[in-house]
Amino acid sequence: MGVKLSPASPAGKWLGLVTAVWVQAISGNNYTFSNYSDALKTLMGLTQLQLNSLSVAKDAGKAFGIFAGLASDRLPTAVILLIGSVEGFVGYGVQWLVVSGRIQPLPYWAMCIFLCMGGNSTTWMNTAILVTCIRNFRKNRGTVSGILKGYVGLSTAIFTDVCSALFADDPAKFLIMLTVVPLVVCLSAMLFLREIPPSKTATEEGEETKFFGVINVIAVVIAVYLLAFDVSGAHGRLFSQFFAAILLILLASPLLIPIYLIMRNFVSSHRESADVEQSATEPLLVEASEVEKEVEAVVAAAEKRRPVVGEEHTISEAMKTADFWILFGSFLCGVGTGLSVINNLGQMGLALGYADVSIFVSLTSIWGFFGRILSGSVSEYFIKRAGTPRPVWNAASQILMAVGYVVLAMAMPGSLYVGSVVVGICYGVRLAVTVPTASELFGLKYFGLIYNILILNLPLGSFLFSGLLAGLLYDAQATSTAGGGNTCIGAHCYRLVFVVMAAVCVVGFGLDVLLSMRTKSVYTKIYASRKCKKDSSVIVQ
């Protein structure tokens, strides 16, 4: 019997996840605005408020992620990925044409549209990846969310460091990378990523946990590798090219998992052909039957009464609950303020006298990765161990983020390094923990749309904290320049911005503590269910 590599086979399932990881490793291009924002500001003669409004237009693209959420229940994963990759190609392609000087700067409103397209493209990619993978690995949804969101966090550092290594931080060449690379990677994911029945047996879940551990280790190695490159100073061209080659090998290394499964299947097929055929078909048939029964039971229950938190919700049912809006508000406090720092790192660094701000962009990205990947796995572990509500970790991140903003406001030597790390970690925790929390509280059936409603906090937060708060307060302190723009040098430029955002995070902390208390019973049930299943498996064995 030949080796099967269908999407539903073990090797096909993990090959799909590997391509999903690759898509996430390039879909954080929306966070790289600081790497070329100064070039746009100079070319277009913008004030800081106008530049921040461009960043708001970029983030406003996420507001149209609702369309990706609606499409996730109606279109195949491959089509959703295609839409996102083509839209990104156009949005970033036009920005490249402007920054490279191939065309004259477009009118301000036109640039807003193309930045919005670039921002919206990632919502299609992220929706396709998150919805599909969380459904495929629903028993490890915290871990898979941490991994996928972790690679999104790394993507900024990957793009920044590769551009620095190969193109000496040329903003035009950086933009051509943002234009071409996501399109190529999404085309590869379209071939392999499909929604398939999740694992049911304890053995399959145990194997999932083992393989996720391997991917986590590889991701940490990549993060440390990027961090070492960032902190080791200037590098020669040959060394930089060698660095980029090793980075590509590390990014490809998760392929070892599907390769291992293919080899295992090949060996087994020559030993016990009949048993392999039976194991390859029977579980999937049983799985499909069980899933159908679960759906029927949910539909029948929904006809009788309004669902409670922890059960399947439509988007209208979810939005009628207090828990949804508490989660929405706390998410705004964390990601909204964090995004303001990410969008303004370039100007923050220049205000404090740093000529090269790429190190801060990379630090935020890399430590954001650690926040995402660790919080996903740790929150999953404590649910299985003690039924600890996931929002507890969001609450902890809010307090730490508030401390980070206080450090930034003090503007002592090294404050921007410390602040970049702290904000990166906490921003990562918010993204990685909120995704599985939403799926656990409101179900997976309409998760794509619910996720994109929550993601509205990114453009909303960008508008409130970056476009208004940071933009207006910076311009109030800035002086005009000959080219028609303005500039501000000194710690006072952003001090009040940081103080206000620290206060906002304290409010977010209170909301997360409240949500943890309100959802304690949900996580107690999840813990009891998993413990019962584990005990039953031990008895059967």
Side-chain angles (χ1 to χ4, degrees):
M1 184 183 70
V3 176
K4 293 183 178 180
L5 193 58
S6 68
S9 68
K13 177 180 181 179
W14 285 94
L15 183 57
L17 181 70
V18 171
T19 58
V21 164
W22 291 344
V23 172
Q24 295 297 80
I26 53 85
S27 63
N29 45 18
N30 199 44
Y31 297 114
T32 62
F33 185 67
S34 292
N35 284 337
Y36 61 92
S37 61
D38 200 52
L40 282 177
K41 184 178 183 181
T42 302
L43 279 170
M44 299 179 68
L46 304 177
T47 66
Q48 188 61 35
L49 181 59
Q50 290 173 322
L51 183 66
N52 284 9
S53 296
L54 273 185
S55 74
V56 171
K58 163 186 69 72
D59 296 324
K62 290 183 169 59
F64 298 100
I66 292 176
F67 295 111
L70 290 169
S72 67
D73 295 323
R74 296 168 174 81
L75 298 177
T77 301
V79 176
I80 298 174
L81 283 171
L82 180 62
I83 293 172
S85 59
V86 171
E87 188 180 21
F89 183 82
V90 175
Y92 287 104
V94 170
Q95 294 178 63
W96 167 71
L97 290 173
V98 170
V99 172
S100 65
R102 283 167 171 76
I103 63 173
Q104 291 296 315
L106 299 178
Y108 187 83
W109 63 266
M111 290 300 295
C112 286
I113 290 175
F114 287 109
L115 264 80
C116 182
M117 289 181 66
N120 182 247
S121 68
T122 62
T123 67
W124 292 85
M125 299 178 198
N126 291 339
T127 298
I129 297 304
L130 283 170
V131 171
T132 303
C133 290
I134 286 182
R135 287 174 177 170
N136 289 353
F137 300 94
R138 62 186 64 193
K139 296 299 183 182
N140 284 285
R141 64 185 72 181
T143 304
V144 74
S145 173
I147 288 173
L148 294 175
K149 284 297 184 181
Y151 273 94
V152 174
L154 281 182
S155 64
T156 304
I158 291 171
F159 276 125
T160 301
D161 288 352
V162 169
C163 181
S164 176
L166 301 181
F167 309 122
D169 296 320
D170 185 328
K173 292 178 179 177
F174 183 81
L175 276 166
I176 196 65
M177 288 175 58
L178 299 185
T179 302
V180 175
V181 174
L183 177 65
V184 174
V185 174
C186 284
L187 291 176
S188 70
M190 287 168 56
L191 299 175
F192 301 106
L193 185 61
R194 301 286 189 278
E195 188 171 325
I196 58 176
S199 62
K200 281 293 183 182
T201 67
T203 301
E204 290 176 319
E205 291 177 25
E207 187 172 64
E208 282 185 7
T209 301
K210 178 177 67 175
F211 289 150
F212 280 133
V214 172
I215 295 178
N216 274 334
V217 169
I218 293 172
V220 170
V221 170
I222 293 173
V224 172
Y225 182 68
L226 289 167
L227 186 61
F229 181 79
D230 287 337
V231 301
S232 56
H235 310 94
R237 182 169 179 79
L238 183 61
F239 180 87
S240 297
Q241 291 174 341
F242 178 76
F243 157 81
I246 297 298
L247 178 60
L248 292 177
I249 292 172
L250 289 172
L251 289 171
S253 59
L255 280 173
L256 293 172
I257 292 173
I259 290 173
Y260 162 75
L261 291 171
I262 290 172
M263 294 177 63
R264 187 179 70 179
N265 188 31
F266 179 78
V267 172
S268 299
S269 66
H270 284 74
R271 291 179 178 175
E272 302 177 51
S273 178
D275 290 342
V276 170
E277 289 177 1
Q278 183 180 18
S279 66
T281 56
E282 287 187 358
L284 293 179
L285 294 175
V286 173
E287 176 66 39
S289 176
E290 290 177 352
V291 170
E292 289 171 1
K293 290 178 181 178
E294 288 180 4
V295 172
E296 290 173 0
V298 168
V299 172
E303 291 174 355
K304 297 178 181 178
R305 59 173 176 80
R306 177 183 293 182
V308 298
V309 174
E311 298 177 347
E312 294 287 350
H313 286 65
T314 64
I315 185 60
S316 62
E317 289 168 341
M319 293 177 71
K320 291 176 182 177
T321 66
D323 299 289
F324 180 86
W325 293 109
I326 294 172
L327 181 62
F328 187 92
S330 71
F331 195 47
L332 174 63
C333 294
V335 299
T337 58
L339 194 58
S340 177
V341 174
I342 292 170
N343 285 339
N344 289 277
L345 268 177
Q347 282 65 48
M348 289 176 181
L350 293 174
L352 293 177
Y354 294 97
D356 181 11
V357 296
S358 62
I359 179 64
F360 303 114
V361 177
S362 291
L363 282 174
T364 303
S365 174
I366 293 170
W367 287 99
F369 155 79
F370 285 117
R372 297 170 199 232
I373 202 164
L374 290 176
S375 63
S377 297
V378 169
S379 64
E380 193 72 37
Y381 172 81
F382 278 96
I383 288 175
K384 295 177 180 178
R385 187 68 179 252
T388 305
R390 237 185 264 272
V392 165
W393 306 101
N394 280 340
S397 74
Q398 292 277 30
I399 285 297
L400 183 59
M401 186 175 262
V403 172
Y405 291 142
V406 171
V407 170
L408 286 168
M410 295 171 67
M412 296 183 298
S415 287
L416 195 54
Y417 286 96
V418 175
S420 299
V421 170
V422 171
V423 171
I425 291 173
C426 298
Y427 186 82
V429 171
R430 291 296 327 196
L431 288 173
V433 172
T434 301
V435 170
T437 299
S439 72
E440 286 157 348
L441 300 185
F442 308 111
L444 285 169
K445 187 176 181 180
Y446 300 100
F447 175 64
L449 185 54
I450 290 172
Y451 166 74
N452 278 287
I453 293 291
L454 289 171
I455 290 300
L456 287 174
N457 276 302
L458 295 179
L460 178 60
S462 179
F463 170 73
L464 292 175
F465 300 109
S466 183
L468 290 182
L469 181 68
L472 290 173
L473 293 182
Y474 179 96
D475 282 348
Q477 301 290 337
T479 55
S480 300
T481 60
N486 64 7
T487 187
C488 180
I489 303 297
H492 64 286
C493 299
Y494 285 99
R495 178 170 287 124
L496 185 55
V497 176
F498 294 134
V499 171
V500 172
M501 293 197 301
V504 169
C505 284
V506 173
V507 174
F509 167 76
L511 291 174
D512 285 316
V513 170
L514 177 61
L515 187 62
S516 299
M517 296 168 61
R518 290 174 61 91
T519 59
K520 176 64 178 175
S521 61
V522 174
Y523 289 96
T524 300
K525 290 178 182 177
I526 294 174
Y527 166 71
S529 174
R530 293 182 179 180
K531 188 175 186 299
C532 180
K533 184 175 181 180
K534 183 178 179 180
D535 292 343
S536 298
S537 175
V538 172
I539 292 173
V540 170
Q541 291 174 356

